[in-house]
Amino acid sequence: MEQKDYERIATLETQLETLSKGLERIETKLDAYSTNFITRLEADIHFKNLEKEIDEIKQNKRANSALIVSCLS
């Protein structure tokens, strides 16, 4: 091989190293970023509980309004 080939290989190796280091930094940042969010399963459980609470509140509202109407009459 000629000297130019060795130089090209050396520059490619350094570029590859910098790319791999950049990818590692991105992966660590993504890992740190993803820890701030809840999982899909936890979100489903949370929203199901919220739906149940909303249904209970609606039923209590209907019952209270029916009670008020019966008291007024």
Coordinates of all heavy atoms in Angstrom, one line a residue:
M1 N 0.8 -1.2 0.0 CA 0.0 0.0 0.0 C 0.9 1.2 0.0 O 2.0 1.2 0.5 CB -0.9 0.0 1.2 CG -2.1 -0.8 1.2 SD -3.1 -0.3 2.5 CE -4.2 -1.6 2.6
E2 N 0.3 2.3 -0.5 CA 1.0 3.5 -0.6 C 0.8 4.3 0.7 O -0.1 4.0 1.5 CB 0.6 4.3 -1.8 CG 1.0 3.7 -3.1 CD 0.5 4.6 -4.3 OE1 0.4 5.8 -4.1 OE2 0.4 4.0 -5.4
Q3 N 1.6 5.4 0.8 CA 1.5 6.3 2.0 C 0.1 6.9 2.1 O -0.5 7.1 3.2 CB 2.6 7.3 2.0 CG 2.6 8.2 3.2 CD 3.0 7.5 4.5 OE1 3.6 6.4 4.4 NE2 2.6 8.0 5.6
K4 N -0.5 7.3 0.9 CA -1.8 7.9 0.9 C -2.9 7.0 1.5 O -3.8 7.4 2.1 CB -2.1 8.3 -0.5 CG -1.4 9.5 -1.0 CD -1.8 9.9 -2.4 CE -1.1 11.0 -3.0 NZ -1.5 11.4 -4.3
D5 N -2.7 5.7 1.1 CA -3.7 4.7 1.6 C -3.7 4.7 3.2 O -4.7 4.6 3.8 CB -3.5 3.4 1.0 CG -3.7 3.4 -0.5 OD1 -4.5 4.2 -1.0 OD2 -3.1 2.5 -1.2
Y6 N -2.5 4.6 3.7 CA -2.3 4.6 5.2 C -2.9 5.8 5.8 O -3.6 5.8 6.9 CB -0.9 4.4 5.6 CG -0.3 3.1 5.2 CD1 0.8 2.9 4.4 CD2 -0.9 1.9 5.8 CE1 1.3 1.7 4.1 CE2 -0.4 0.6 5.5 CZ 0.7 0.5 4.6 OH 1.2 -0.7 4.3
E7 N -2.7 7.0 5.2 CA -3.2 8.2 5.8 C -4.8 8.2 5.7 O -5.4 8.7 6.6 CB -2.7 9.4 5.0 CG -1.2 9.6 5.2 CD -0.6 10.7 4.3 OE1 -1.4 11.3 3.5 OE2 0.6 11.0 4.4
R8 N -5.3 7.7 4.6 CA -6.8 7.7 4.5 C -7.4 6.7 5.5 O -8.4 7.0 6.1 CB -7.2 7.2 3.1 CG -6.9 8.3 2.0 CD -7.3 7.8 0.6 NE -8.7 7.5 0.6 CZ -9.3 6.7 -0.3 NH1 -8.5 6.0 -1.2 NH2 -10.6 6.5 -0.3
I9 N -6.7 5.6 5.7 CA -7.2 4.6 6.7 C -7.1 5.3 8.1 O -8.1 5.1 8.9 CB -6.4 3.3 6.7 CG1 -6.7 2.6 5.4 CG2 -6.7 2.4 7.9 CD1 -5.9 1.4 5.1
A10 N -6.1 6.0 8.4 CA -5.9 6.6 9.7 C -7.0 7.7 9.9 O -7.6 7.8 11.0 CB -4.5 7.3 9.8
T11 N -7.3 8.5 8.9 CA -8.3 9.5 9.1 C -9.7 8.8 9.2 O -10.5 9.3 10.0 CB -8.4 10.5 7.9 OG1 -8.5 9.7 6.7 CG2 -7.1 11.3 7.8
L12 N -9.9 7.8 8.5 CA -11.2 7.0 8.6 C -11.3 6.4 10.0 O -12.4 6.4 10.6 CB -11.3 6.0 7.6 CG -11.6 6.5 6.2 CD1 -11.5 5.3 5.2 CD2 -12.9 7.2 6.1
E13 N -10.3 5.9 10.6 CA -10.3 5.4 11.9 C -10.6 6.5 13.0 O -11.4 6.2 13.9 CB -9.0 4.7 12.3 CG -8.7 3.4 11.6 CD -7.4 2.8 11.9 OE1 -6.5 3.5 12.5 OE2 -7.2 1.6 11.6
T14 N -10.0 7.6 12.8 CA -10.3 8.7 13.8 C -11.8 9.2 13.6 O -12.4 9.4 14.6 CB -9.4 9.9 13.6 OG1 -9.4 10.3 12.2 CG2 -8.0 9.5 14.0
Q15 N -12.3 9.3 12.4 CA -13.7 9.6 12.2 C -14.6 8.6 12.8 O -15.6 8.9 13.4 CB -14.0 9.8 10.7 CG -13.3 11.1 10.1 CD -13.6 11.1 8.6 OE1 -14.2 10.2 8.0 NE2 -13.2 12.2 8.0
L16 N -14.3 7.3 12.7 CA -15.1 6.3 13.2 C -15.1 6.3 14.7 O -16.1 6.1 15.4 CB -14.5 4.9 12.7 CG -15.3 3.7 13.1 CD1 -16.8 3.8 12.6 CD2 -14.7 2.4 12.7
E17 N -14.0 6.6 15.3 CA -13.9 6.7 16.8 C -14.7 7.9 17.3 O -15.5 7.8 18.3 CB -12.4 6.9 17.2 CG -11.6 5.7 17.2 CD -10.2 5.9 17.6 OE1 -9.9 6.8 18.5 OE2 -9.3 5.2 17.1
T18 N -14.7 9.0 16.6 CA -15.5 10.2 17.0 C -17.0 9.9 16.9 O -17.8 10.3 17.7 CB -15.1 11.5 16.3 OG1 -15.2 11.2 14.9 CG2 -13.7 11.9 16.6
L19 N -17.3 9.2 15.8 CA -18.7 8.8 15.6 C -19.2 7.9 16.7 O -20.3 8.0 17.2 CB -18.9 8.2 14.3 CG -19.1 9.1 13.1 CD1 -19.1 8.3 11.8 CD2 -20.3 10.0 13.2
S20 N -18.4 6.9 17.1 CA -18.8 6.0 18.1 C -18.9 6.7 19.5 O -19.8 6.4 20.2 CB -17.9 4.8 18.2 OG -16.6 5.2 18.5
K21 N -18.0 7.6 19.7 CA -18.1 8.4 21.0 C -19.4 9.2 21.0 O -20.0 9.3 22.0 CB -16.9 9.2 21.2 CG -15.6 8.4 21.6 CD -14.4 9.3 21.7 CE -13.2 8.5 22.0 NZ -12.0 9.4 22.1
G22 N -19.7 9.8 19.9 CA -20.9 10.6 19.8 C -22.1 9.8 20.0 O -23.1 10.2 20.7
L23 N -22.1 8.6 19.4 CA -23.3 7.7 19.6 C -23.4 7.3 21.1 O -24.5 7.2 21.6 CB -23.1 6.4 18.7 CG -23.5 6.6 17.2 CD1 -23.1 5.4 16.5 CD2 -24.9 7.0 17.1
E24 N -22.3 7.0 21.7 CA -22.4 6.7 23.1 C -23.0 7.8 24.0 O -23.8 7.6 24.9 CB -21.0 6.3 23.7 CG -20.5 5.0 23.1 CD -19.0 4.7 23.6 OE1 -18.5 5.5 24.5 OE2 -18.4 3.8 23.1
R25 N -22.6 9.0 23.7 CA -23.1 10.2 24.4 C -24.6 10.3 24.1 O -25.4 10.6 25.0 CB -22.4 11.5 24.0 CG -21.0 11.6 24.5 CD -20.5 13.1 24.4 NE -20.7 13.5 23.0 CZ -19.7 13.7 22.1 NH1 -18.5 13.3 22.4 NH2 -20.0 14.1 20.9
I26 N -25.0 10.1 22.9 CA -26.5 10.2 22.6 C -27.2 9.1 23.3 O -28.3 9.3 23.8 CB -26.7 10.1 21.0 CG1 -26.1 11.3 20.3 CG2 -28.1 9.9 20.7 CD1 -26.1 11.3 18.8
E27 N -26.7 7.9 23.3 CA -27.4 6.8 24.0 C -27.5 7.1 25.5 O -28.6 6.8 26.1 CB -26.6 5.5 23.8 CG -26.8 4.9 22.4 CD -25.9 3.7 22.2 OE1 -25.1 3.4 23.1 OE2 -26.1 3.0 21.2
T28 N -26.5 7.6 26.1 CA -26.6 7.9 27.6 C -27.6 9.0 27.8 O -28.4 9.0 28.8 CB -25.2 8.3 28.2 OG1 -24.7 9.4 27.4 CG2 -24.3 7.2 28.1
K29 N -27.7 10.0 26.9 CA -28.7 11.1 27.1 C -30.1 10.5 26.9 O -31.0 10.9 27.6 CB -28.4 12.2 26.1 CG -27.2 13.0 26.5 CD -27.0 14.2 25.5 CE -25.8 15.0 25.9 NZ -25.5 16.1 25.0
L30 N -30.2 9.6 25.9 CA -31.6 9.0 25.7 C -32.0 8.2 26.9 O -33.2 8.2 27.3 CB -31.6 8.2 24.4 CG -31.7 9.0 23.1 CD1 -31.5 8.0 21.9 CD2 -33.0 9.7 23.0
D31 N -31.0 7.5 27.5 CA -31.4 6.7 28.6 C -31.8 7.6 29.8 O -32.8 7.3 30.5 CB -30.2 5.8 29.1 CG -29.9 4.7 28.1 OD1 -30.8 4.3 27.3 OD2 -28.7 4.2 28.1
A32 N -31.1 8.6 30.0 CA -31.5 9.6 31.1 C -32.8 10.2 30.8 O -33.6 10.4 31.7 CB -30.4 10.6 31.2
Y33 N -33.0 10.5 29.5 CA -34.3 11.2 29.1 C -35.5 10.2 29.3 O -36.5 10.6 29.7 CB -34.2 11.6 27.7 CG -35.4 12.4 27.1 CD1 -35.7 13.7 27.6 CD2 -36.2 11.8 26.2 CE1 -36.7 14.4 27.1 CE2 -37.3 12.5 25.7 CZ -37.6 13.8 26.2 OH -38.7 14.4 25.7
S34 N -35.3 9.0 28.9 CA -36.4 8.0 29.0 C -36.8 7.6 30.4 O -37.9 7.1 30.7 CB -36.1 6.8 28.2 OG -35.0 6.1 28.8
T35 N -35.9 7.8 31.4 CA -36.2 7.5 32.8 C -37.2 8.5 33.4 O -37.8 8.2 34.4 CB -34.9 7.5 33.7 OG1 -34.3 8.8 33.6 CG2 -34.0 6.4 33.2
N36 N -37.4 9.6 32.7 CA -38.4 10.6 33.2 C -39.8 10.2 32.9 O -40.7 10.9 33.4 CB -38.1 12.0 32.7 CG -36.7 12.5 33.2 OD1 -36.3 12.2 34.3 ND2 -36.1 13.3 32.4
F37 N -40.1 9.3 32.1 CA -41.4 8.9 31.6 C -41.9 7.6 32.2 O -41.1 6.7 32.4 CB -41.5 8.9 30.1 CG -41.1 10.2 29.4 CD1 -39.9 10.4 28.9 CD2 -42.1 11.2 29.4 CE1 -39.6 11.6 28.3 CE2 -41.8 12.4 28.8 CZ -40.5 12.6 28.2
I38 N -43.2 7.5 32.4 CA -43.8 6.3 32.9 C -43.9 5.3 31.7 O -44.0 5.7 30.6 CB -45.1 6.5 33.6 CG1 -46.1 7.1 32.7 CG2 -44.9 7.3 34.8 CD1 -47.5 7.2 33.3
T39 N -44.0 4.0 32.1 CA -44.2 3.0 31.0 C -45.6 3.0 30.5 O -46.5 3.6 31.1 CB -43.8 1.6 31.6 OG1 -44.7 1.3 32.6 CG2 -42.4 1.6 32.1
R40 N -45.8 2.3 29.4 CA -47.2 2.3 28.8 C -48.1 1.6 29.8 O -49.3 2.0 29.9 CB -47.1 1.6 27.5 CG -48.4 1.4 26.8 CD -48.3 0.7 25.5 NE -49.1 1.4 24.5 CZ -48.7 2.2 23.6 NH1 -47.5 2.5 23.5 NH2 -49.6 2.8 22.8
L41 N -47.7 0.5 30.4 CA -48.5 -0.2 31.4 C -49.0 0.7 32.5 O -50.2 0.7 32.9 CB -47.8 -1.5 31.9 CG -48.6 -2.4 32.9 CD1 -49.8 -2.9 32.2 CD2 -47.7 -3.5 33.3
E42 N -48.0 1.4 33.1 CA -48.4 2.3 34.2 C -49.3 3.4 33.7 O -50.3 3.7 34.5 CB -47.1 2.9 34.8 CG -46.2 2.0 35.5 CD -44.9 2.6 35.9 OE1 -44.5 3.7 35.3 OE2 -44.2 2.0 36.7
A43 N -49.2 3.9 32.6 CA -50.1 4.9 32.0 C -51.5 4.3 31.8 O -52.5 5.0 32.2 CB -49.5 5.5 30.7
D44 N -51.6 3.1 31.3 CA -52.9 2.5 31.2 C -53.6 2.3 32.5 O -54.8 2.6 32.6 CB -52.7 1.1 30.5 CG -52.4 1.2 29.0 OD1 -52.6 2.3 28.4 OD2 -51.9 0.2 28.4
I45 N -52.9 1.9 33.5 CA -53.5 1.7 34.8 C -53.9 3.0 35.4 O -55.0 3.1 35.9 CB -52.4 1.0 35.8 CG1 -52.2 -0.4 35.3 CG2 -52.9 1.0 37.2 CD1 -51.0 -1.1 36.0
H46 N -53.1 4.0 35.2 CA -53.4 5.4 35.7 C -54.7 5.9 35.0 O -55.6 6.4 35.7 CB -52.2 6.3 35.5 CG -52.4 7.7 36.0 ND1 -52.5 7.9 37.4 CD2 -52.6 8.8 35.4 CE1 -52.7 9.2 37.5 NE2 -52.7 9.8 36.3
F47 N -54.8 5.8 33.7 CA -55.9 6.3 33.0 C -57.2 5.5 33.3 O -58.3 6.1 33.4 CB -55.7 6.4 31.5 CG -54.7 7.5 31.1 CD1 -53.6 7.2 30.4 CD2 -54.9 8.8 31.5 CE1 -52.7 8.2 30.0 CE2 -54.0 9.8 31.2 CZ -52.9 9.5 30.4
K48 N -57.1 4.2 33.5 CA -58.2 3.4 33.9 C -58.8 3.9 35.3 O -60.0 4.0 35.5 CB -57.9 1.9 33.9 CG -57.8 1.3 32.6 CD -57.4 -0.1 32.6 CE -57.2 -0.7 31.2 NZ -56.8 -2.1 31.2
N49 N -57.9 4.1 36.2 CA -58.3 4.6 37.5 C -58.9 6.0 37.4 O -59.9 6.2 38.1 CB -57.1 4.7 38.5 CG -56.6 3.3 38.9 OD1 -57.3 2.3 38.8 ND2 -55.4 3.2 39.3
L50 N -58.4 6.8 36.6 CA -59.0 8.1 36.4 C -60.4 8.0 35.8 O -61.3 8.7 36.2 CB -58.2 9.0 35.5 CG -56.9 9.6 36.1 CD1 -56.1 10.4 35.1 CD2 -57.3 10.5 37.3
E51 N -60.6 7.1 34.8 CA -61.9 6.9 34.3 C -62.9 6.4 35.3 O -64.1 6.9 35.3 CB -61.8 5.9 33.1 CG -61.2 6.5 31.9 CD -61.0 5.4 30.8 OE1 -61.4 4.3 31.0 OE2 -60.5 5.8 29.7
K52 N -62.5 5.5 36.2 CA -63.4 5.1 37.2 C -63.8 6.2 38.2 O -64.9 6.3 38.5 CB -62.7 3.9 38.0 CG -62.6 2.6 37.3 CD -61.9 1.6 38.1 CE -61.6 0.3 37.4 NZ -60.8 -0.7 38.2
E53 N -62.8 7.0 38.5 CA -63.1 8.1 39.4 C -64.1 9.1 38.8 O -65.0 9.6 39.4 CB -61.8 8.9 39.8 CG -60.9 8.0 40.8 CD -59.6 8.8 41.1 OE1 -59.6 10.0 40.9 OE2 -58.7 8.1 41.6
I54 N -63.9 9.4 37.5 CA -64.8 10.3 36.8 C -66.2 9.7 36.7 O -67.2 10.5 36.9 CB -64.2 10.6 35.4 CG1 -62.9 11.5 35.4 CG2 -65.2 11.3 34.5 CD1 -62.2 11.6 34.2
D55 N -66.3 8.5 36.5 CA -67.6 7.8 36.4 C -68.3 7.9 37.8 O -69.5 8.2 37.9 CB -67.5 6.4 36.0 CG -67.2 6.2 34.5 OD1 -67.4 7.2 33.8 OD2 -66.7 5.1 34.1
E56 N -67.5 7.7 38.9 CA -68.1 7.8 40.2 C -68.6 9.2 40.5 O -69.6 9.4 41.1 CB -67.1 7.4 41.3 CG -66.8 5.9 41.3 CD -65.7 5.5 42.3 OE1 -65.2 6.4 43.0 OE2 -65.3 4.3 42.3
I57 N -67.8 10.2 40.1 CA -68.2 11.6 40.3 C -69.4 11.9 39.5 O -70.3 12.6 40.1 CB -67.0 12.5 39.9 CG1 -65.8 12.4 40.9 CG2 -67.5 14.0 39.8 CD1 -64.6 13.1 40.4
K58 N -69.5 11.5 38.3 CA -70.8 11.7 37.5 C -72.0 11.1 38.2 O -73.0 11.7 38.2 CB -70.6 11.2 36.1 CG -69.7 12.0 35.2 CD -69.6 11.4 33.8 CE -68.7 12.2 32.9 NZ -68.5 11.6 31.6
Q59 N -71.8 9.8 38.7 CA -72.9 9.2 39.3 C -73.3 9.9 40.6 O -74.5 10.0 40.9 CB -72.6 7.7 39.6 CG -72.5 6.8 38.4 CD -72.0 5.4 38.7 OE1 -71.7 5.1 39.9 NE2 -71.9 4.6 37.7
N60 N -72.3 10.4 41.4 CA -72.6 11.1 42.6 C -73.4 12.4 42.3 O -74.3 12.8 43.0 CB -71.4 11.4 43.4 CG -70.8 10.2 44.0 OD1 -71.5 9.2 44.2 ND2 -69.5 10.2 44.4
K61 N -73.0 13.1 41.2 CA -73.6 14.3 40.8 C -75.1 14.0 40.4 O -76.0 14.8 40.8 CB -72.9 14.9 39.5 CG -72.4 16.2 39.7 CD -71.7 16.7 38.4 CE -70.9 18.0 38.7 NZ -70.3 18.5 37.5
R62 N -75.3 13.0 39.7 CA -76.7 12.6 39.3 C -77.5 12.3 40.5 O -78.7 12.7 40.6 CB -76.7 11.4 38.3 CG -76.2 11.8 36.9 CD -76.3 10.5 36.0 NE -75.5 10.8 34.8 CZ -74.8 9.9 34.2 NH1 -74.6 8.7 34.7 NH2 -74.1 10.3 33.1
A63 N -76.9 11.6 41.4 CA -77.6 11.2 42.7 C -77.9 12.4 43.5 O -79.0 12.6 44.0 CB -76.8 10.2 43.5
N64 N -77.0 13.3 43.6 CA -77.2 14.6 44.3 C -78.3 15.5 43.7 O -79.1 16.0 44.4 CB -75.9 15.4 44.5 CG -74.9 14.7 45.4 OD1 -75.3 13.9 46.2 ND2 -73.7 15.1 45.3
S65 N -78.3 15.5 42.4 CA -79.3 16.4 41.7 C -80.7 15.7 41.9 O -81.7 16.4 42.0 CB -78.9 16.6 40.2 OG -78.9 15.3 39.6
A66 N -80.7 14.4 41.8 CA -82.0 13.7 42.1 C -82.5 14.0 43.5 O -83.7 14.1 43.7 CB -81.9 12.2 41.8
L67 N -81.6 14.0 44.4 CA -81.9 14.2 45.8 C -82.4 15.6 46.0 O -83.4 15.8 46.7 CB -80.7 14.0 46.7 CG -80.9 14.2 48.2 CD1 -81.9 13.1 48.8 CD2 -79.6 14.1 48.9
I68 N -81.8 16.6 45.4 CA -82.2 18.0 45.5 C -83.6 18.1 44.9 O -84.5 18.8 45.5 CB -81.2 18.9 44.8 CG1 -79.9 18.9 45.6 CG2 -81.8 20.3 44.6 CD1 -78.8 19.6 44.9
V69 N -83.9 17.5 43.7 CA -85.2 17.6 43.1 C -86.3 17.0 44.0 O -87.4 17.5 44.2 CB -85.2 16.9 41.7 CG1 -86.6 16.8 41.2 CG2 -84.3 17.7 40.8
S70 N -86.0 15.9 44.6 CA -86.9 15.2 45.5 C -87.2 16.0 46.7 O -88.3 16.1 47.2 CB -86.5 13.8 45.8 OG -85.3 13.8 46.6
C71 N -86.2 16.7 47.2 CA -86.3 17.5 48.4 C -87.1 18.8 48.1 O -88.0 19.2 48.9 CB -85.0 17.9 49.0 SG -84.1 16.6 49.8
L72 N -87.0 19.3 46.9 CA -87.7 20.5 46.6 C -89.2 20.2 46.3 O -90.1 21.0 46.5 CB -87.1 21.2 45.3 CG -85.7 21.8 45.5 CD1 -85.2 22.3 44.2 CD2 -85.8 22.9 46.6
S73 N -89.4 19.0 45.8 CA -90.8 18.7 45.5 C -91.5 18.2 46.8 O -92.6 18.5 47.1 CB -90.9 17.6 44.4 OG -90.3 16.4 44.9

